[in-house]
Amino acid sequence: MYTEELTIKAAAAAAKREENIKKSVPRMTAEEKNELLAAYHPDHNKDQSKTVLIGKNKGDKVPSELWTLLHSKSRISGADIGAEPEISAEVLVIGGGGAGAAAAIEAARAGAKTVLVTKLRLGDANTMMAEGGIQAADKDNDSPVRHFIDAYGGGHYAAKKELLKKLVCEAPEAIMWLSKLGVEFDKTSDGEMITTHGGGTSRKRMHACKDYSGAEIMRTLRDEVLNLGVTVTDFTAAAEILLDGDGKAAGAALVNMETGKIFTAEAKTVIIATGGIGRLHCQGFPTSNHYGATADGLVMAYRAGAKLIYADTLQYHPTGAAYPGQIYGALVTEKVRSLGAKLVNADGEIFVHPLETRDTVSAAIIRECKERGKGVDTDLGCGVWLDTPMIDMINGEGTTEKRIPAMLRMYERCGIDIRKEPVLVYPTLHYQNGGIDISPDCSVTGIENLYAAGEVTGGIHGRNRLMGNSLLDVIVFGRTAGISAAEKSKTAKHGKPSSDHICRYEKELEKAGIDTGAVSPAFLPDYTGRK
């Protein structure tokens, strides 16, 4: 519950609530957005990035935390991986989130012997934690063209057009595929899909399962993976991609998370679907991400010779919980704003359109707190009010409970009733915009037999992602990766799996005089001494 001091501060939002419901703030011009982002968005903090010194992205800037992992020694340095592999597959899927599960489903349906290895348990991933929904232009007043325009502009015109085109054109079919698997999307009494706006969208195309969309999707995908008989190996992390003498992917070096034992998997094709970077807490930000989001796939792919695209850009979700401490950094879904809640400062003033793109809203909140001094101070830091009581006032009593029940319960456990009290929010590290460079068939550029899908990839969303395009991404490209890898496995040939490229990579580190004293991938976040 709020302290007496915060209860008094919340009164400023309450005093202007009815007035603010009627008030609208104009959207920013492109020039205003660019100026705001350059001044306040964390991606533009040049002191928090470093120049890559070796590999395909030599000379590029990346977040300091990722730089350390890319320039560290491998976890399998000196390990003997020449023995017979303990796992053999036609398609090896690394990662048990939405993209990995979708890939495994399609690979198995195509008849390929499919093995899925996951660092934690099947379903323990950011997909499970997604709340707001999944985009698809499947209404009469919408089209994939409009969806493309919204996403291309929202990503600062930086997306790879062929990837974004695939995303939006295959979106309606992705919704149907999920529905047939059993995902319970929100519908009207006559069975029509309920859709809402998200930040940066020109049409209502957000399909949701209340505010636990990711959990419902992941539940359904997990069931189908198991129903198809896919071999799932839990608590098994991939430490490196193994290559043959010609540089083709031939398997992976794996680590048992409980015993630390290193062993190998041989495969005709490999799919990396390891998720994002949030648990590195770039620039000290809190995160909405799952515990396993430690950039493992980026490190493995990079050492294998893959190129990263837009690795310097991350997404900070504008509304992470800024109070109380037990949910600090947790996601406050954008759906709260799409239902009518507005952002107000300490004086009860609306300072930004609630459905601007995420990077714009994040920068506006940071500006309000750091420059204008109109944030709400707590013992945890600073935040602004997200005026949630507006939702029932605008849409009718019971809307909050019906449309965002998970959010209602999360705050109720903390003694806060979001139907009557606003919530404090501040940007939280949410998504990895950049990642492994791929082709539309999900093949990793320059490495035969290697595929990637989901948040670990880059180029689909450009330099900023719109709400609902991530759950869409993991389905569209996860399915494609599974289909492509299964097809390639019919003809794929490779030599003996080897870690020789790891030795060459480490010699490059020595030549450059780099010794971070660390090993990577990280596997799990290190909270030793972290505040």
Side-chain angles (χ1 to χ4, degrees), residues 230-297:
V230 173
T231 300
V232 177
T233 306
D234 290 327
F235 300 110
T236 302
E240 297 293 349
I241 302 299
L242 300 180
L243 307 177
D244 70 4
D246 295 324
K248 299 176 182 178
L254 308 175
V255 177
N256 184 301
M257 292 294 287
E258 296 175 299
T259 66
K261 176 187 174 183
I262 298 173
F263 60 104
T264 62
E266 186 172 5
K268 292 184 176 180
T269 55
V270 180
I271 300 172
I272 301 175
T274 52
I277 196 173
R279 283 289 164 174
L280 298 186
H281 291 282
C282 298
Q283 300 193 40
F285 272 79
T287 186
S288 63
N289 279 196
H290 191 272
Y291 201 63
T294 49
D296 298 0

Side-chain angles (χ1 to χ4, degrees), residues 76-389:
I76 66 166
S77 292
D80 181 13
I81 62 163
E84 285 296 311
E86 295 191 24
I87 292 176
S88 180
E90 291 175 325
V91 177
L92 175 67
V93 181
I94 303 171
I105 289 168
E106 292 292 19
R109 285 180 173 179
K113 180 185 177 183
T114 305
V115 175
L116 185 152
V117 297
T118 178
K119 181 166 59 177
L120 298 172
R121 299 169 300 177
L122 178 60
D124 284 343
N126 280 345
T127 301
M128 187 73 180
M129 303 175 76
E131 297 171 350
I134 176 171
Q135 284 202 50
D138 56 3
K139 292 294 181 72
D140 291 341
N141 70 335
D142 203 358
S143 70
V145 172
R146 291 184 184 276
H147 190 174
F148 183 98
I149 292 170
D150 288 348
Y152 194 54
H156 300 289
Y157 309 98
K160 292 178 71 173
K161 293 178 183 178
E162 65 273 21
L163 298 181
L164 183 54
K165 177 183 177 181
K166 179 180 178 66
L167 181 78
V168 301
C169 288
E170 296 185 17
E173 204 277 327
I175 297 294
M176 293 304 299
W177 186 77
L178 290 170
S179 295
K180 289 176 181 177
L181 283 180
V183 172
E184 295 287 344
F185 287 108
D186 295 341
K187 297 176 182 177
T188 63
S189 57
D190 60 2
E192 183 182 356
M193 291 271 193
I194 295 173
T195 54
T196 58
H197 273 299
T201 62
S202 60
R203 293 292 185 274
K204 293 181 178 180
R205 66 174 72 97
M206 202 67 55
H207 301 66
C209 312
K210 296 185 170 56
D211 61 343
Y212 44 83
S213 303
E216 170 65 6
I217 289 172
M218 193 68 246
R219 174 196 67 80
T220 307
L221 294 176
R222 180 180 180 276
D223 285 352
E224 186 66 8
V225 168
L226 299 177
N227 289 340
L228 289 169
V230 173
T231 300
V232 177
T233 306
D234 290 327
F235 300 110
T236 302
E240 297 293 349
I241 302 299
L242 300 180
L243 307 177
D244 70 4
D246 295 324
K248 299 176 182 178
L254 308 175
V255 177
N256 184 301
M257 292 294 287
E258 296 175 299
T259 66
K261 176 187 174 183
I262 298 173
F263 60 104
T264 62
E266 186 172 5
K268 292 184 176 180
T269 55
V270 180
I271 300 172
I272 301 175
T274 52
I277 196 173
R279 283 289 164 174
L280 298 186
H281 291 282
C282 298
Q283 300 193 40
F285 272 79
T287 186
S288 63
N289 279 196
H290 191 272
Y291 201 63
T294 49
D296 298 0
L298 297 186
V299 175
M300 291 189 292
Y302 194 69
R303 279 206 276 254
K307 182 180 180 181
L308 306 182
I309 181 172
Y310 304 147
D312 59 325
T313 174
L314 304 170
Q315 182 168 89
Y316 298 81
H317 195 291
T319 54
Y323 189 91
Q326 56 265 50
I327 57 171
Y328 188 70
L331 182 65
V332 178
T333 173
E334 196 163 312
K335 191 172 183 180
V336 174
R337 286 176 282 137
S338 74
L339 289 171
K342 296 178 182 180
L343 291 157
V344 300
N345 61 25
D347 296 333
E349 302 165 337
I350 304 172
F351 59 90
V352 66
H353 191 286
L355 291 179
E356 290 281 12
T357 55
R358 287 176 171 177
D359 53 354
T360 301
V361 179
S362 292
I365 292 172
I366 293 171
R367 178 186 63 186
E368 208 69 11
C369 291
K370 291 193 172 180
E371 181 187 288
R372 295 181 173 176
K374 292 190 176 184
V376 179
D377 291 321
T378 75
D379 57 347
L380 299 173
C382 187
V384 296
W385 296 114
L386 179 57
D387 205 359
T388 49

